[in-house]
């Protein structure tokens, strides 16, 4: 088979599986609130084609449409419109949910150098991790990237998601009920806030919220975090119950000073002397950060504060939140990059939620030829690494490899 034929065979196998899934599960797709005011968009298996400006008044209409078209990815607008099917400038925007996108793509993790690959479109040079700005071999600037999700990346994304939820609830006073958490079906989480209070905010106001979350323009002097020179100065006494950023920083300082092990402290970039002084403090009494602050050197304190701020910032894709016309993935639908279900997650269940296990969508097996794949985990099992080999795998693992373009179906001889 030539490359185009392999690609087509792979696409057909994925589409057949997606079709089967939607035939059985179209009732499980939970449409968003006020669905009639939303724009829906569908990415089709026909390469790159996007069907937009659709609207549906009933969940059953949407379900029928999905079953008939079998899209690779399904989106809806965070925005509410008078006429969702009209062209962009005539839709009549009436508001938009506040949305946040947390993606391992934007989080630095060591493991990416092992499981992510780039290949120069011009000369074929390749390497691990993110592509360079220009190809070291031919100075080309176009690359094809293959990214994989792994437990470490997903844990980091989960950590960011719980930080963000905590911030929205504590600092912005949102209710648990209006903060909806969804796993994307690939490397991250989406948070949708459906609230009348935030609905009418424009891009600039949303940018202010983003700046607060990411600590842009944070002035430590205004927060009164300078080295406590005078013990009687109550404002300098930092406690984890302080509101807003003071409390966030205090809680991170507590984490650093009282709980983190040597290795993560080192990863955080703290100097060796600082780590030793922290460990020494814990050995003695070590229960109260204000005690620690009293004895610590000014330089050490500054470094700890600096790292605590880094820890407390939330790593979000800022563009997504400020775009008031954004289309976002519909929970309960399949992700065309993986074949996993984009899934609603109960906030309380987040610590125990296992995205690599609980979002698997297919049963049975498929036989495929794997060109190349790193070691990966799905459905509670590990597979690979593979190179140039025929394998019969559980369908969720096989479809993942097909979606990643790392494999193609093996045509079984007709007996
Ligand atoms: Zn090159
Ligand atoms: Zn990873």
């Amino acid at each position: 088979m030539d490359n185009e034929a392999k690609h087509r065979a792979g696409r057909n196998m994925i589409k057949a599986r997606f079709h089967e899934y939607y035939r059985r599960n179209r009732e499980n797709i939970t449409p968003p609130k006020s669905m009639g005011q939303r724009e829906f968009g569908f990415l089709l298996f026909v390469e790159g084609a996007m069907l937009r400006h659709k609207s549906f008044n009933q969940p059953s209409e949407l379900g029928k449409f999905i079953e008939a078209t079998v899209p690779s990815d399904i989106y809806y607008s965070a925005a509410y419109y008078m006429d969702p099917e009209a062209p962009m400038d005539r839709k009549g925007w009436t508001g938009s949910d506040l949305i946040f996108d947390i993606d391992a793509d934007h989080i630095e993790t060591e493991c990416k150098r092992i499981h992510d690959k780039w290949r120069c479109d011009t000369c074929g040079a390749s390497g691990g991790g993110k592509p360079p700005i220009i190809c070291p071999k031919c100075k080309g600037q176009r690359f094809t990237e293959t990214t994989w999700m792994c437990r470490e990346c997903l844990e980091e994304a989960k950590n960011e998601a719980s930080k963000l939820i905590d911030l929205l609830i504590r600092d912005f006073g949102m209710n648990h009920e209006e903060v909806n958490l969804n796993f994307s079906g690939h490397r991250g989480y989406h948070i949708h806030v459906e609230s009348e209070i935030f609905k009418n905010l424009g891009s600039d106001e949303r940018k202010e919220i983003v700046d607060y979350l990411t600590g842009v323009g944070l002035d430590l002097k205004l927060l009164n975090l300078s080295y406590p020179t005078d013990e009687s100065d109550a404002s300098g006494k930092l406690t984890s119950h302080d509101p807003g950023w003071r409390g966030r920083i205090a809680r991170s300082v507590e984490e650093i000073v009282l709980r983190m092990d040597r290795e993560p402290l080192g990863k955080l970039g703290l100097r060796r002397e600082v780590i030793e002084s922290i460990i020494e403090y814990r050995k003695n009494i070590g229960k109260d950060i204000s005690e620690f602050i009293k004895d610590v050197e000014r330089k050490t304190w500054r470094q700890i504060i600096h790292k605590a701020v880094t820890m407390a910032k939330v790593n979000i894709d800022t563009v997504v939140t400020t775009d008031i016309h954004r289309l976002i993935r519909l929970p309960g639908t399949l992700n065309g990059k993986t074949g996993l279900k984009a899934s609603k997650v109960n906030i309380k269940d987040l610590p125990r939620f296992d995205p690599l296990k609980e979002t698997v969508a297919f049963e049975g097996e498929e036989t495929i030829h794997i060109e190349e794949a790193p070691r990966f985990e799905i459905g509670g099992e590990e597979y690979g690494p593979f190179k140039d080999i025929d394998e019969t795998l559980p369908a969720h693992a096989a479809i993942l490899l097909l979606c990643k373009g790392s494999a193609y179906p093996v045509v079984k001889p007709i007996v």
Side-chain angles (χ1 to χ4, degrees), residues 118-126 134-143:
W118 58 266
R119 197 170 175 281
C120 171
D121 289 350
T122 319
C123 75
S126 63
I134 52 164
C135 174
K137 227 169 138 187
C138 76
K139 308 263 183 285
Q141 288 178 32
R142 294 174 73 95
F143 304 94

Side-chain angles (χ1 to χ4, degrees), residues 100 163-164 166-174 198 204-219 223 242-249 251 309 312-316 318 321-322:
F100 301 98
K163 245 197 298 185
L164 174 58
D166 181 64
L167 234 154
L168 295 176
I169 290 171
R170 264 192 220 245
D171 293 13
F172 286 85
M174 292 179 188
F198 296 95
D204 291 345
E205 289 98 346
R206 288 170 201 247
K207 180 70 173 57
E208 293 290 331
I209 294 176
V210 166
D211 287 351
Y212 182 84
L213 299 172
T214 54
V216 168
L218 188 68
D219 188 338
L223 286 179
D242 291 342
W245 266 94
R246 265 182 71 96
R248 314 211 81 77
I249 293 170
R251 290 191 289 279
V309 169
K313 286 177 186 175
V314 188
N315 203 333
I316 49 173
T318 57
T321 305
T322 52

